[in-house]
């Protein structure tokens, strides 16, 4: 077999170094395109989160914490998530939003029923994510909207 298709690392490195100007130009153009895309094409999203420690309200004598209390607290996280995603709770969240912000401002992030003057429950639900942090008794709630307020 001949040496027709064999290249050494030295020859490849020399080829790359010989085209340094092309690599620099392509890097600058790529960075500019990525900046332009993220600045002018991608929609802005604002993310806010809170974490809550869910504790089993079982009275414990002294400072002792047993495994069953921790497991009960972990299982309570999924119960809290189910309660917080309930329509009645989200409807109340919508009512509080209407008290705090004008309807025109809320229309930027949520669907509004003009007849009933209510915020759409599904639009609130779509912007919220609730989960247990690393399968612990910590509940993390994340809200993502197009408006920072």
């Amino acid at each position: 077999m001949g040496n027709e298709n064999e290249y050494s690392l030295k020859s490849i490195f020399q080829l790359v170094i010989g085209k340094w100007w092309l690599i620099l130009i392509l890097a600058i153009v790529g960075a500019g395109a990525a900046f332009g895309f993220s600045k002018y094409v991608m929609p802005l999203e604002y993310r806010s989160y809170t974490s809550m420690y869910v504790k089993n309200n079982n009275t414990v004598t002294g400072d002792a914490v047993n495994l069953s209390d921790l497991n009960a607290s972990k299982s309570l996280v999924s119960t809290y998530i189910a309660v917080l995603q309930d329509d009645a709770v989200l409807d109340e969240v919508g009512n509080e939003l209407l008290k705090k912000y004008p309807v025109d401002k809320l229309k930027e992030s949520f669907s509004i029923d003009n007849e009933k003057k209510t915020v759409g429950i599904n639009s609130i639900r779509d912007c919220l994510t609730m989960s247990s942090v690393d399968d612990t008794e910590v509940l993390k709630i994340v809200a993502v909207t197009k408006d920072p307020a």
Side-chain angles (χ1 to χ4, degrees), residues 53-56 68-77 137:
Y53 178 72
V54 178
K55 182 181 177 208
N56 183 12
S68 65
D69 288 338
L70 288 175
N71 288 335
S73 294
K74 286 180 189 179
S75 67
L76 279 174
V77 170
E137 57 274 2

Side-chain angles (χ1 to χ4, degrees), residues 86-87 89-95 97-98 103 106-107 109-114 116-128:
D86 186 64
D87 288 352
V89 173
L90 294 179
D91 188 44
E92 188 60 32
V93 169
N95 292 337
L97 287 171
L98 285 169
V103 173
L106 289 174
K107 283 183 179 179
S109 298
F110 304 105
S111 64
I112 305 289
D113 184 352
N114 290 327
K116 299 178 184 176
K117 296 289 184 195
T118 59
V119 178
I121 293 172
N122 287 330
S123 64
I124 296 173
R125 186 178 285 121
D126 290 343
C127 80
L128 293 176

Side-chain angles (χ1 to χ4, degrees), residues 7-148:
Y7 298 100
S8 68
L9 288 176
K10 183 179 178 181
S11 65
I12 293 171
F13 184 69
Q14 287 174 344
L15 179 65
V16 170
I17 293 298
K19 302 288 183 178
W20 68 270
W21 55 272
L22 182 61
I23 294 170
L24 181 64
I25 289 172
L26 290 175
I28 291 171
V29 168
F35 172 76
F37 180 77
S38 65
K39 179 78 174 171
Y40 300 108
V41 177
M42 289 180 62
L44 290 176
E45 285 188 346
Y46 297 93
R47 187 175 303 264
S48 177
Y49 72 92
T50 186
S51 296
M52 298 187 308
Y53 178 72
V54 178
K55 182 181 177 208
N56 183 12
N57 203 12
N58 204 2
T59 56
V60 179
T61 56
D63 291 334
V65 177
N66 61 33
L67 185 60
S68 65
D69 288 338
L70 288 175
N71 288 335
S73 294
K74 286 180 189 179
S75 67
L76 279 174
V77 170
S78 57
T79 304
Y80 276 44
I81 290 172
V83 169
L84 291 172
Q85 288 181 339
D86 186 64
D87 288 352
V89 173
L90 294 179
D91 188 44
E92 188 60 32
V93 169
N95 292 337
E96 291 297 318
L97 287 171
L98 285 169
K99 290 178 188 175
K100 189 170 183 179
Y101 299 102
V103 173
D104 293 339
K105 187 78 167 165
L106 289 174
K107 283 183 179 179
E108 297 173 10
S109 298
F110 304 105
S111 64
I112 305 289
D113 184 352
N114 290 327
E115 292 176 13
K116 299 178 184 176
K117 296 289 184 195
T118 59
V119 178
I121 293 172
N122 287 330
S123 64
I124 296 173
R125 186 178 285 121
D126 290 343
C127 80
L128 293 176
T129 305
M130 298 179 215
S131 62
S132 170
V133 177
D134 297 328
D135 198 30
T136 63
E137 57 274 2
V138 177
L139 170 63
K140 185 173 184 179
I141 303 171
V142 181
V144 179
T145 62
K146 296 175 185 174
D147 185 357

